[in-house]
Amino acid sequence: MQHTLNISSGKKNQLIYKTNMSWQTYVDEHLMCEIEGQGQHLTAAAIIGHDGSVWAQSSKFPQFKPEEIKGIMKDFDEPGHLAPTGLHVAGAKYMVIQGEPGAVIRGKKGTGGITIKKTGQALVFGIYEEPVTPGQCNMVVERLGDYLVDQGL
């Protein structure tokens, strides 16, 4: 069985999600994919369980600390928790910017940033640098996350 998701606004590019794909395939083909046919890619991406276990990650995804995942999970449970201190991933500090309480956390750091989408069982991470835009990162991460939510994952 295959599921089709149109990932680009108004274009014919489509991502095909197969129910038997490995988590690494989701990262490699659907998070680290070319964005909108422009030759751009996220810098790093991962799918991480709520408990901090790595389900799959790109080669450049930073080594996070368990307490960082705990802080992220707490922010999903108590939106605004990270705002005073910032979002930390592998020691890098991101300024928390507008997200969706309980569903999406977004952060900005210099010319790049991070988007984290919470699903029922996992966190979908995307890290980007220019020329990728925050909106492009949000689109890639949140659409995969929404798909996983729809699948009960």
Side-chain angles (χ1 to χ4, degrees):
M1 185 166 125
Q2 293 184 343
H3 302 280
T4 304
L5 175 68
N6 188 348
I7 194 98
S8 54
S9 51
K11 295 188 179 180
K12 293 185 180 187
N13 295 347
Q14 294 184 336
L15 291 180
I16 307 284
Y17 293 106
K18 300 175 187 172
T19 56
N20 63 349
M21 281 199 291
S22 73
W23 292 113
Q24 192 61 50
T25 302
Y26 281 109
V27 170
D28 295 343
E29 295 182 9
H30 302 294
L31 291 174
M32 296 304 295
C33 61
E34 184 175 330
I35 301 171
E36 297 179 337
Q38 298 179 6
Q40 300 169 355
H41 302 267
L42 296 180
T43 305
I47 301 173
I48 297 173
H50 289 180
D51 62 357
S53 61
V54 176
W55 293 9
Q57 63 184 9
S58 66
S59 61
K60 293 184 181 178
F61 193 78
Q63 182 64 46
F64 60 86
K65 299 174 183 141
E67 61 269 19
E68 294 170 336
I69 299 299
K70 288 178 185 170
I72 290 166
M73 288 302 297
K74 185 166 184 169
D75 194 79
F76 280 119
D77 293 337
E78 300 173 24
H81 168 74
L82 292 175
T85 59
L87 164 65
H88 292 83
V89 176
K93 181 180 177 179
Y94 295 84
M95 178 178 65
V96 178
I97 57 175
Q98 176 264 339
E100 297 172 29
V104 179
I105 298 172
R106 298 183 185 108
K108 184 83 173 131
K109 178 178 173 275
T111 60
I114 188 169
T115 302
I116 307 167
K117 169 73 177 180
K118 182 182 179 198
T119 73
Q121 300 176 29
L123 302 173
V124 180
F125 284 75
I127 300 173
Y128 69 94
E129 290 291 337
E130 284 185 345
V132 173
T133 67
Q136 289 171 318
C137 182
N138 296 342
M139 177 185 67
V140 170
V141 170
E142 293 175 39
R143 292 214 180 161
L144 177 59
D146 289 343
Y147 170 80
L148 296 175
V149 167
D150 289 346
Q151 300 305 304
L153 301 168

